[in-house]
Amino acid sequence: QVLSCRGVMSSPLRIAVLLSGSGTTLQNLIDRIAAGTLRNVEIVLVIGSKPSAKGLQRATTAGIKAELVASKDFKVDGKQDWPSMSSRVCELLAQDRVDLVVLAGYMCLFIVPPELENKVINVHPSLIPAFCGQGMYGERVHQAVVARGVKVTGCTVHYVTNEYDAGPIILQELCSVTSEMTAEQVQDQVQELER
């Protein structure tokens, strides 16, 4: 991709979205592209880690190529084989000449190869470094936020490294938390920020 004199990319940024669930972030991206508020971007591939991932259906409905790389198919002696699974994902990314990978509720360890360093981002539902790391995902994060009694939370977009939630932070958005709020209410607020 080449930047023109005006700083506009001459061809769209080719994005892949990796997901494990409903695909809410995928839908947000699809909607923003359709509305013209996210320009020069094309979602060329969606990879799901579960056959039941609603995000795969969202991709198909939007006319985006959807692939299943099921985590259940990558086990050795009953343990997840993340290197083999990551290798298969990388094969698909290379086939579609992906420029940027977005982890959007991807509940698997994606081992970032050197050629994708600084080309993989994640949306995490807290203000990193709080409430992050292995095992901190989805509603677990919001339950921990409520249990701890923090006054603010939010979401973080960060580069992915081969350590959970440890990559450089790109962007953070925050919202207030009151003592009366439930984990579900906090989650709703954070998901609104993610849009």
Side-chain angles (χ1 to χ4, degrees), residues 25-43:
T25 301
L26 169 65
Q27 191 63 55
N28 291 338
L29 292 170
I30 291 168
D31 293 347
R32 285 181 172 261
I33 291 168
T37 57
L38 185 58
R39 296 185 183 109
N40 257 354
V41 172
E42 178 185 12
I43 303 169

Side-chain angles (χ1 to χ4, degrees), residues 65-134:
K65 181 179 176 183
E67 295 278 354
L68 174 65
V69 179
S71 56
K72 68 179 178 62
D73 295 338
F74 292 88
K75 293 196 177 195
V76 174
D77 297 326
K79 292 186 178 184
Q80 286 298 153
D81 183 1
W82 297 127
S84 293
M85 184 174 176
S86 296
S87 180
R88 176 62 185 137
V89 168
C90 287
E91 288 173 14
L92 294 171
L93 297 173
Q95 286 173 14
D96 282 296
R97 301 178 332 277
V98 170
D99 300 311
L100 180 71
V101 180
V102 178
L103 304 187
Y106 191 62
M107 300 299 146
C108 302
L109 176 62
F110 177 63
I111 299 172
V112 181
E115 64 270 16
L116 288 178
E117 190 172 317
N118 296 321
K119 294 180 180 178
V120 182
I121 62 173
N122 182 45
V123 181
H124 185 77
S126 77
L127 297 173
I128 291 175
F131 309 106
C132 65
Q134 188 171 3

